[in-house]
């Protein structure tokens, strides 16, 4: 029962409940003919190996030519468990997390992976992970589950954070200097740390719905985003939060921060929203199709590559929106 609920959670977070994660067979494709425009892809990242995408049936794909062609990464075995999130740390280690408590580890930018955790039965989805300044990793997921690794992701043990309930945890994110951290989840769950993740405190609830992700904008400024167009901003390191001005009840699932500090949110209905005032207000800069967008990466030609529940999409933004994402970009999945 707990596994079923956890699986439903991931569908809501990554695809607004549109796509069912039921195992199914797929035809064999040549490496360059992978149906990336039809696959549910929940996470998109850029590494030294190129672009890396992951999602349904445990698929991880790599592109060395800015998304024009894709090859499957090398995985130790075919678990067919949905991958919910990938993260790559500055020390070169990358993790892919998924259903059944699945954790994969890579040291070559996502070209090849080794399995470091999997639960054969009653495994719950893992949703996010981060490498703390101490070198330890935390992985979080359904029913308040937290795992810790002290050997750079090779092995994992259960970990308790005081103040956590059994609400699902959706994301963990840190500031650029590695000192401030936020864990976000269901029912307005938000925990913060000011000491590199050593100690955590519960932020008084300011919203009773799900928070899907948080974005660090520097100098103690944060944005938290979630379901039904609820977005909030903080200017004091996450201690207090105010509602942002939104154009409608648009659930958002991923983000990217431009080099100029602008913030893009990707969400349902193929929408991308932009803020140029520190997350206080947003406007729609892209509305196309029905897919729920889960991530965004800027490409060398100025276009965007968008991951979604309906496959990868390439989009050419307006000049103003494109400028906000150059020369560098980072997203929730990278």
């Amino acid at each position: 029962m707990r596994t079923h609920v956890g699986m439903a959670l991931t569908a809501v977070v990554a695809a607004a409940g549109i796509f069912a994660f039921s195992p199914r067979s797929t035809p064999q494709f040549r490496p360059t003919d992978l149906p990336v425009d039809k696959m549910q892809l929940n996470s998109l990242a850029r590494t030294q190996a190129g672009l890396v995408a992951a999602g349904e049936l445990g698929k991880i794909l790599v592109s060395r030519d800015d998304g024009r062609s894709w090859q499957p990464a090398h995985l130790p075995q075919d678990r067919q468990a949905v991958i919910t999130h990938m993260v790559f740390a500055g020390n070169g280690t990358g993790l892919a997390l998924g259903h059944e408590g699945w954790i994969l580890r890579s040291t070559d930018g996502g070209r090849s992976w080794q399995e470091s955790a999997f639960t054969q039965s009653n495994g719950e989805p893992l949703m996010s992970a981060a490498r703390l300044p101490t070198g330890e990793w935390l992985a979080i997921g359904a029913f308040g589950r937290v795992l810790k690794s002290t050997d750079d992701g090779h092995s994992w043990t259960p970990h308790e954070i005081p103040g956590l309930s059994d609400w699902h945890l959706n994301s963990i994110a840190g500031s650029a200097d590695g000192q401030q951290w936020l864990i976000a989840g269901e029912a307005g769950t938000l925990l913060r740390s000011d000491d590199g993740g050593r100690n955590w405190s519960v932020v008084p609830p300011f919203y009773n719905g799900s928070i899907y992700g948080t974005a660090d904008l520097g100098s103690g400024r944060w944005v938290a985003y979630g379901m039904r167009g609820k977005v909030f901003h903080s200017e004091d390191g996450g201690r207090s939060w105010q509602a942002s001005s939104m154009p409608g009840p648009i659930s958002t699932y991923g983000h990217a921060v431009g080099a100029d500090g602008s913030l893009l949110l990707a969400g349902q209905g193929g929408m991308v929203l932009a803020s140029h005032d520190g997350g206080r207000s947003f406007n729609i800069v892209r509305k196309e199709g029905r897919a729920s967008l889960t991530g965004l990466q800027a490409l060398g030609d100025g276009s965007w590559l968008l991951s979604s529940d309906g496959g990868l999409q390439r989009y050419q933004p307006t000049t103003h929106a494109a400028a906000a994402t150059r020369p560098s970009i980072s997203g929730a999945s990278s």
Side-chain angles (χ1 to χ4, degrees), residues 51-332:
L51 291 169
V52 187
E56 68 171 277
L57 295 174
K59 301 298 184 185
I60 302 180
L61 312 173
V62 181
S63 172
R64 296 184 177 91
D65 55 10
D66 238 13
R68 286 181 287 273
S69 64
W70 295 83
Q71 295 77 39
H74 175 72
L75 273 65
Q77 53 189 310
D78 186 7
R79 294 288 194 185
Q80 294 201 347
V82 175
I83 294 176
T84 60
H85 182 71
M86 292 184 299
V87 58
F88 292 85
N91 72 331
T93 300
L95 296 182
L97 306 109
H99 286 195
E100 312 305 328
W102 200 20
I103 303 178
L104 293 162
R105 181 179 183 273
S106 175
T107 57
D108 60 6
R111 289 188 293 267
S112 62
W113 299 81
Q114 301 80 42
E115 184 175 278
S116 61
F118 186 78
T119 305
Q120 293 286 349
S121 61
N122 200 33
E124 294 157 356
L126 295 171
M127 303 300 294
S128 187
R131 187 176 188 268
L132 303 177
T134 60
E136 299 174 334
W137 283 87
L138 289 183
I140 62 173
F143 301 103
R145 188 181 187 193
V146 180
L147 301 178
K148 184 177 182 178
S149 173
T150 58
D151 56 6
D152 201 28
H154 286 280
S155 62
W156 299 83
T157 57
H159 180 67
E160 291 188 9
I161 296 179
L164 273 183
S165 65
D166 61 354
W167 292 111
H168 302 313
L169 302 176
N170 296 325
S171 75
I172 176 171
S175 58
D177 64 6
Q179 291 306 298
Q180 292 184 345
W181 291 82
L182 296 179
I183 293 176
E186 279 189 319
T189 297
L190 193 69
L191 284 81
R192 60 183 299 274
S193 172
D194 276 333
D195 59 4
R198 292 183 179 86
N199 298 284
W200 297 85
S201 59
V202 178
V203 177
F206 53 88
Y207 170 51
N208 63 1
S210 291
I211 302 173
Y212 295 143
T214 60
D216 167 46
L217 299 182
S219 302
R221 296 176 301 144
W222 287 83
V223 170
Y225 54 89
M227 64 189 304
R228 295 192 298 268
K230 299 299 183 181
V231 178
F232 301 86
H233 61 277
S234 172
E235 298 182 2
D236 58 6
R239 293 177 180 84
S240 62
W241 296 81
Q242 296 78 44
S244 301
S245 175
M246 292 285 287
I250 306 161
S251 295
T252 48
Y253 309 112
H255 75 271
V257 180
D260 64 350
S262 59
L263 176 63
L264 298 175
L265 298 181
Q268 69 182 119
M271 293 190 190
V272 177
L273 301 99
S275 173
H276 301 279
D277 58 6
R280 298 179 185 88
S281 63
F282 288 83
N283 63 288
I284 298 173
V285 295
R286 193 256 193 189
K287 181 180 180 181
E288 188 174 308
R290 298 182 178 180
S292 291
L293 305 178
T294 57
L296 183 156
Q297 287 288 331
L299 303 179
D301 62 0
S303 62
W304 298 344
L305 190 65
L306 305 165
S307 58
S308 77
D309 63 348
L312 290 177
Q313 305 176 17
R314 191 180 293 262
Y315 175 73
Q316 185 65 53
T318 63
T319 302
H320 180 66
T325 63
R326 291 199 296 259
S328 64
I329 192 167
S330 62

